Amino acid sequence: MAGRLGRLPLGRVGALLVLAVLMALVVVPVLVVAAGSLWSASFIRLPGQITLENYAKTLTADSGTVLITTLEFTIGSAIVATVLGAALAWIVVRTDIPLRPVVRWLPVAPMLVSGLVTNIGWIILYSPRSGLVNIWIEHLFRLDHPIFNIYSMLGLVAALGLYLVPIPYLIFLGPLGSMDRSLDEASRASGAGALRTLRHVTLPLLMPATMASFTLVGIIAAHAFETPVLIGLPGGVRTYMATIYQSMTASQDYGLASAQAMIYLVLIGLLLAGNRYITKVEARFALVGGKGNPPGVVRMGPWRYLLLAGILVEFVIGFVQLVAANVLVSLLPFYTTTGSLPPLTLDNYSAALSAADSLQAIFNSMSVAGATAVCAAILATFLAFIAYKTKWRGRRLAEELGTLPIAFPPLILSMALLVTLLSIPGLIGLYNSVALLVLVLTVVFLPFALRVVSATIISIDDQLIEASASCGARTLRTMRSIVFPLMTTGLAAAAAIAFVMSFRELGGVALIQPPTMTLLPVDIYTLFQTGSPSQQVYALNIISSIITLAVPLVVAGAVWVVLRVTRRGAAWDRMAGHWVAPLEQSPSEG
């Protein structure tokens, strides 16, 4: 084996090592958790014996309730998000509503804020005891009981379903925008109206997109951490995600948590298998033909104003009211449920930014997110280059390995790595370290960075890579001299996405945060749960949102400046060449 590696090019040896490490980071922890779920001791390195006791504890009468609750929560959220996303996409693409270029981007707004902002906003407004909406309705109609209860299954489904609407909305924009106009015209020529055409032509053709959207949103709902913990646990609505978190933190029963994680991974695996099967393209669902025409716009008459109002209502309910609730409470000197609101003040922001712990938490989160962004962008570029720009046998394995972590919820992946470190001798040095945080977040968000980088690297002509190789450059030098300079925009976008997602991630770091280091999402969650200091929590939530919004804008501005300066420099070089060339000619040539 050593002889074979010695004969391989250095770049290929490095690629094999990277792929082996990545596989070990994903596969080995799952195997360790699977073994731990069948071991009587807390960790497999401790003396014990093979047992099914952990599964017996998991598969009790109570576990059946948890399983049903999890399925209701996951399926309900997926249905709400898919139906609303499809309806909004159809309204924007296929109808003549006013202000269409503006309202086109409104359904995407929830992606701009974290789950902490939206879930805490739901609690502020619709908590049965202290929710502002409930209080105002009770005072207005002189009721003695609240109307809304966010701490319920309906509340969980509404909160997460509305938060996930942007995903199916973006999925449906493509098929609806590509649908051949002749299909609608044939239906109309047969005497069908707009609604009948929608029911018998449009919806059947959108079935693959509908099912793919449903399964994808179901997978993301199964990964959700903030909603089950912040809204589900206080209301007694226990899902598998909240149960695993409690087993790790409250009872510290690692064997039970491992068994619960394995069962949950089986459920997610079924969703992934369904998504993979459904997204297979079939000819009977083709939307674009060789002589197709762009989709026509349905004239809705006066109903178009009602459809516009529907989009605005969804935007207000799913985004505006939640952000406004956080902003309002963050400006109050104290939170009161009786009488008029006290005067607004910025003292909470001053206190939050002057507190040493909060500033340190912001700095820690930005440092960890920055390191994660760099590692994820570089690793994604390396994997995409192997998959699309080499001729190596099995090169597409790089893309498969890079996408594999999306199958694991961040909480379960971090729990699996934590249990692995405590189970295998020699790895304990990574326990309670910043390196573990960066490692987990890099693996968790690698698939997202890989999607962005892959689209960019595919656009690079293979002739550039071949020219570099013909000049004797090795793989690493080709990547440094050719690939990276041509991928400025793609790398910046991948790094920005990884930064934003890792900066506001809670589930992936809740179990592995070092005791001497506080990250901002964990700090917000802890302060919100303990209620002290109550008002600063909302200020920190808004500050976190401002940071995650500002970073992509700064990155985009920096990329624009770099490209602008580069193009201007090229223009100056061409101008200088134009003026210098005549001067370099000989007198006889002049």
Side-chain angles (χ1 to χ4, degrees):
M1 183 66 180
R4 290 183 179 179
L5 288 177
R7 292 193 295 269
L8 289 175
L10 182 61
R12 188 171 299 188
V13 173
L16 291 175
L17 291 176
V18 170
L19 294 179
V21 171
L22 183 58
M23 179 177 289
L25 289 175
V26 179
V27 177
V28 172
V30 175
L31 296 178
V32 171
V33 169
S37 67
L38 297 171
W39 197 245
S40 58
S42 299
F43 307 105
I44 58 175
R45 65 180 174 84
L46 300 177
Q49 59 185 0
I50 297 178
T51 179
L52 294 176
E53 182 181 356
N54 293 320
Y55 286 96
K57 290 185 202 176
T58 303
L59 299 175
T60 59
D62 183 55
S63 68
T65 304
V66 174
L67 176 60
I68 293 174
T69 301
T70 302
L71 292 176
E72 290 179 355
F73 169 64
T74 303
I75 296 174
S77 302
I79 291 175
V80 170
T82 303
V83 171
L84 286 178
L88 294 175
W90 181 81
I91 293 172
V92 168
V93 175
R94 304 300 303 276
T95 68
D96 60 339
I97 60 169
L99 306 175
R100 188 162 53 161
V102 177
V103 300
R104 183 183 185 90
W105 302 106
L106 296 185
V108 188
M111 298 179 66
L112 302 177
V113 294
S114 67
L116 284 171
V117 172
T118 57
N119 285 285
I120 291 178
W122 285 108
I123 294 172
I124 294 172
L125 295 173
Y126 299 100
S127 174
R129 292 187 178 180
S130 59
L132 296 179
V133 172
N134 278 323
I135 293 172
W136 292 337
I137 291 178
E138 290 177 19
H139 289 171
L140 182 62
F141 296 100
R142 302 186 181 278
L143 302 176
D144 56 356
H145 60 278
I147 297 296
F148 302 103
N149 181 15
I150 194 61
Y151 300 123
S152 62
M153 175 57 69
L154 184 60
L156 264 75
V157 169
L160 188 60
L162 287 170
Y163 184 65
L164 298 179
V165 162
I167 297 172
Y169 173 76
L170 294 174
I171 291 175
F172 279 102
L173 285 180
L176 285 170
S178 303
M179 190 171 294
D180 196 336
R181 183 189 301 174
S182 61
L183 300 173
D184 287 348
E185 293 175 350
S187 177
R188 296 293 181 85
S190 301
L195 292 180
R196 190 174 180 184
T197 300
L198 174 65
R199 184 170 68 251
H200 292 287
V201 177
T202 306
L203 292 181
L205 288 174
L206 292 176
M207 187 56 64
T210 303
M211 298 306 298
S213 172
F214 176 79
T215 53
L216 178 60
V217 174
I219 293 168
I220 298 175
H223 288 190
F225 176 77
E226 290 88 348
T227 305
V229 173
L230 286 172
I231 297 178
L233 284 181
V237 183
R238 295 177 60 224
T239 62
Y240 255 110
M241 190 63 68
T243 303
I244 294 171
Y245 179 71
Q246 283 188 318
S247 298
M248 289 291 295
T249 56
S251 58
Q252 295 185 344
D253 192 338
Y254 296 100
L256 177 61
S258 298
Q260 293 167 341
M262 293 307 300
I263 294 176
Y264 201 54
L265 287 178
V266 170
L267 297 176
I268 295 178
L270 294 176
L271 285 172
L272 285 171
N275 182 65
R276 192 175 185 86
Y277 174 77
I278 291 168
T279 51
K280 290 181 179 179
V281 179
E282 298 186 20
R284 65 175 184 231
F285 293 110
L287 299 177
V288 184
K291 298 181 180 179
N293 298 312
V297 174
V298 180
R299 303 295 177 181
M300 301 303 297
W303 292 100
R304 61 196 186 113
Y305 298 103
L306 183 62
L307 295 178
L308 175 62
I311 293 181
L312 296 178
V313 167
E314 191 278 335
F315 174 64
V316 170
I317 294 177
F319 178 75
V320 174
Q321 66 162 353
L322 306 178
V323 176
N326 281 271
V327 173
L328 173 63
V329 179
S330 69
L331 296 174
L332 298 178
F334 55 89
Y335 187 73
T336 178
T337 59
T338 59
S340 59
L341 293 176
L344 305 182
T345 177
L346 293 174
D347 291 344
N348 295 319
Y349 290 90
S350 300
L353 293 176
S354 61
D357 294 342
S358 299
L359 287 178
Q360 189 63 43
I362 295 174
F363 176 78
N364 292 339
S365 293
M366 294 187 69
S367 301
V368 171
T372 301
V374 173
C375 294
I378 293 176
L379 183 57
T381 304
F382 194 70
L383 295 176
F385 183 84
I386 295 174
Y388 295 106
K389 296 302 177 182
T390 66
K391 305 298 182 181
W392 300 344
R393 182 180 301 176
R395 59 188 180 274
R396 288 303 174 92
L397 179 62
E399 185 183 21
E400 296 293 335
L401 285 177
T403 310
L404 184 61
I406 203 172
F408 304 97
L411 177 72
I412 292 181
L413 186 59
S414 65
M415 184 209 79
L417 283 171
L418 177 62
V419 172
T420 301
L421 296 182
L422 297 175
S423 301
I424 300 179
L427 298 180
I428 195 68
L430 286 174
Y431 181 63
N432 284 337
S433 66
V434 180
L436 178 60
L437 284 173
V438 176
L439 187 64
V440 169
L441 292 174
T442 300
V443 174
V444 167
F445 299 117
L446 175 62
F448 302 94
L450 182 59
R451 289 297 90 201
V452 177
V453 170
S454 296
T456 304
I457 206 168
I458 288 174
S459 64
I460 298 177
D461 196 339
D462 291 344
Q463 293 181 359
L464 299 174
I465 311 297
E466 294 170 358
S468 176
S470 64
C471 294
R474 295 182 178 272
T475 303
L476 294 179
R477 185 175 182 182
T478 299
M479 293 186 66
R480 184 177 69 251
S481 304
I482 303 295
V483 177
F484 282 116
L486 293 175
M487 293 183 59
T488 303
T489 304
L491 283 174
I497 290 173
F499 180 93
V500 170
M501 299 183 76
S502 58
F503 181 84
R504 64 192 194 185
E505 174 61 30
L506 176 60
V509 301
L511 297 177
I512 59 175
Q513 175 185 270
T516 58
M517 180 182 185
T518 303
L519 297 177
L520 186 57
V522 181
D523 189 31
I524 293 173
Y525 172 72
T526 303
L527 293 175
F528 182 77
Q529 292 294 89
T530 57
S532 175
S534 59
Q535 300 308 105
Q536 293 183 25
V537 175
Y538 309 106
L540 288 174
N541 225 1
I542 299 301
I543 292 172
S544 174
S545 300
I546 292 174
I547 293 174
T548 55
L549 289 175
V551 168
L553 295 177
V554 171
V555 171
V559 171
W560 182 84
V561 170
V562 170
L563 294 177
R564 188 81 173 177
V565 171
T566 303
R567 291 170 183 170
R568 181 169 295 182
W572 278 107
D573 290 342
R574 290 194 299 269
M575 184 180 298
H578 174 76
W579 287 102
V580 170
L583 298 179
E584 292 178 346
Q585 296 178 353
S586 61
S588 59
E589 293 173 338

